[in-house]
Amino acid sequence: MTNVRKVLTVFGTRPEAIKLFPLVHALAADERFESRTCVSGQHRGMLDQVLEIAGIVPGHDLDLMQPDQTLDALTANLLTGIGRVLDAERPDWVVVQGDTATAMAGALAAYYRKIPVAHVEAGLRSGNIHHPWPEEVNRKIVGAFAALHFAPTETAAEALRRENVAPETIHVTGNTVIDALHWVTAKIEREPALAAGLADLERRFAGKRIIGMTSHRRENFGDGMEGIASAVRRLAERDDVAVIFPVHLNPNVRAVMNERLAGLDNVALIEPLDYPHFARLLAISTLMLTDSGGVQEEAPALGKPVLVMRETTERPEGIAAGTARLVGTDADRIVAEANRLLDDPHAYEAMAKAHNPFGDGRATARIVDLMAAR
């Protein structure tokens, strides 16, 4: 077939892998493209879990994860490492996703070689360069020069227009995370053993309402983590509630949570979950406490209210739709908002049944067709 476009998809963290594997699959299956992948290894173990379940073997693996690596050292290694891959592959397009250091450096390395960049999940903005940090600046950098901006929502598209991004390069596609969640949910239905690892906890907490939890944001390190831990400790005093908390590997998270929450009967501090088990945690939870971006999109797809433990969010659509609520890291407010959802059925139903603004599960197909049309 003539005019086959060579596409290099660059990613390095678990969230990127989740949001990009449907696109990697689609590009590989489409005769209009030659698909190649490069992973940075910015997250190692958590990235590999997603690659395994998605059946992706990267063409290039930079394996850059190091303990206590500074952001500038990581960025330098990413920029030069991805640059070497670009020089070897000479792709027609580079695809990056979101707002990680890998996405920013991958896009910048492509720009230095005048290779056009397609940015998946473009246009998210909190309006504060320190919240989330450094993600807000990472995505703004990519947004300054990407050739195609795949905005998950109209709100994200409008944010790009306000920054004078050329309107003809902006396309509202929905978020690929919904595509990924539909894929893994269907896979679990076919192969229940993929998500059977939570069965013991499900039995242990039978009859209790489960609060699922994630926390890892850099801007919450220190006092923020202390506030979050205090809130969880207080919520666990309820005899009708249990908290399942896959604890992030970062020592700034683990040290606080292990000190404050270890040994509580109603709290399960567990290792990070692979993607099928995380989808299962979403399914069995009554509500989610999180400072993650992706959970704000995924949980509403399953009708689960989200309390966002941050001061700002680059996903205001969820707040506006009523699927999510900003609660910050103040323990009193987290506890009050969680108790409101647990004790007021009307408040719970209003959030659980609100329309998910983040997509319909067809974002990947739209992105592939838009890239093919260029």
Side-chain angles (χ1 to χ4, degrees):
M1 183 178 179
T2 60
N3 200 29
V4 174
R5 297 164 177 82
K6 188 175 188 179
V7 178
L8 180 71
T9 305
V10 179
F11 55 101
T13 67
R14 178 181 184 273
E16 287 171 294
I18 289 171
K19 294 183 178 185
L20 283 175
F21 81 72
L23 183 57
V24 170
H25 285 169
L27 289 171
D30 195 311
E31 63 182 4
R32 296 172 292 184
F33 299 96
E34 178 186 350
S35 178
R36 300 286 285 163
T37 54
C38 171
V39 299
S40 68
Q42 183 179 337
H43 291 173
R44 186 73 269 171
M46 292 186 288
L47 168 69
D48 291 344
Q49 290 173 355
V50 181
L51 295 175
E52 182 178 358
I53 190 67
I56 293 173
V57 179
H60 302 271
D61 188 337
L62 302 180
D63 197 22
L64 293 180
M65 184 175 177
Q66 298 177 25
D68 298 320
Q69 188 168 210
T70 63
L71 285 174
D72 48 1
L74 172 62
T75 301
N77 290 331
L78 286 165
L79 195 58
T80 56
I82 296 170
R84 287 191 293 271
V85 173
L86 293 175
D87 292 338
E89 291 285 356
R90 301 177 66 84
D92 299 302
W93 281 92
V94 167
V95 174
V96 299
Q97 189 280 329
D99 51 22
T100 67
T102 296
M104 184 272 290
L108 193 57
Y111 168 74
Y112 286 161
R113 291 158 177 79
K114 298 185 178 179
I115 301 169
V117 173
H119 189 195
V120 177
E121 197 183 70
L124 275 64
R125 298 291 184 269
S126 71
N128 184 332
I129 64 171
H130 300 293
H131 293 275
W133 174 85
E135 289 85 359
E136 180 79 355
V137 165
N138 286 343
R139 55 184 169 238
K140 286 171 69 70
I141 290 171
V142 181
F145 56 78
L148 281 174
H149 305 260
F150 298 127
T153 66
E154 178 57 37
T155 299
E158 182 56 31
L160 291 166
R161 296 185 198 108
R162 288 197 302 269
E163 294 175 0
N164 296 316
V165 172
E168 65 272 16
T169 68
I170 303 169
H171 303 276
V172 178
T173 60
N175 199 308
T176 56
V177 76
I178 307 302
D179 305 34
L181 187 61
H182 288 176
W183 182 91
V184 78
T185 300
K187 190 173 180 67
I188 292 168
E189 289 178 358
R190 296 190 303 270
E191 305 172 50
L194 287 173
L198 293 178
D200 287 346
L201 284 178
E202 292 182 49
R203 286 190 289 270
R204 172 182 164 188
F205 295 143
K208 296 183 184 293
R209 288 179 289 178
I210 291 173
I211 298 175
M213 182 170 170
T214 70
S215 185
H216 70 277
R217 285 287 180 189
R218 289 175 182 266
E219 66 266 28
N220 283 344
F221 292 173
D223 291 344
M225 285 293 161
E226 292 286 349
I228 291 169
S230 178
V232 173
R233 190 175 185 90
R234 288 164 58 184
L235 287 169
E237 294 173 0
R238 295 180 58 129
D239 59 12
D240 64 335
V241 160
V243 178
I244 298 180
F245 185 0
V247 184
H248 197 276
L249 297 175
N250 192 301
N252 291 289
V253 181
R254 291 208 151 194
V256 174
M257 299 306 168
N258 286 335
E259 179 182 350
R260 300 291 300 277
L261 302 177
L264 296 180
D265 289 342
N266 285 7
V267 177
L269 300 179
I270 62 176
E271 292 300 306
L273 297 173
D274 64 17
Y275 189 41
H277 284 95
F278 188 74
R280 179 61 183 170
L281 176 59
L282 288 176
I284 65 175
S285 293
T286 297
L287 62 93
M288 292 297 299
L289 293 178
T290 189
D291 60 13
S292 166
V295 177
Q296 297 175 55
E297 302 153 346
E298 293 165 311
L302 299 180
K304 310 298 180 173
V306 183
L307 297 181
V308 183
M309 299 181 296
R310 290 162 57 180
E311 301 303 326
T312 61
T313 180
E314 65 280 24
R315 293 166 174 83
E317 302 90 338
I319 308 300
T323 60
R325 184 182 293 268
L326 279 174
V327 297
T329 58
D330 177 75
D332 290 340
R333 186 171 181 200
I334 295 170
V335 170
E337 294 289 352
N339 283 335
R340 185 178 69 90
L341 291 174
L342 292 167
D343 296 333
D344 183 344
H346 297 294
Y348 184 88
E349 288 296 307
M351 292 187 73
K353 293 184 176 179
H355 169 70
N356 182 11
F358 295 109
D360 58 6
R362 294 193 291 272
T364 298
R366 296 186 184 101
I367 289 170
V368 169
D369 286 342
L370 287 163
M371 291 189 67
R374 290 294 293 248

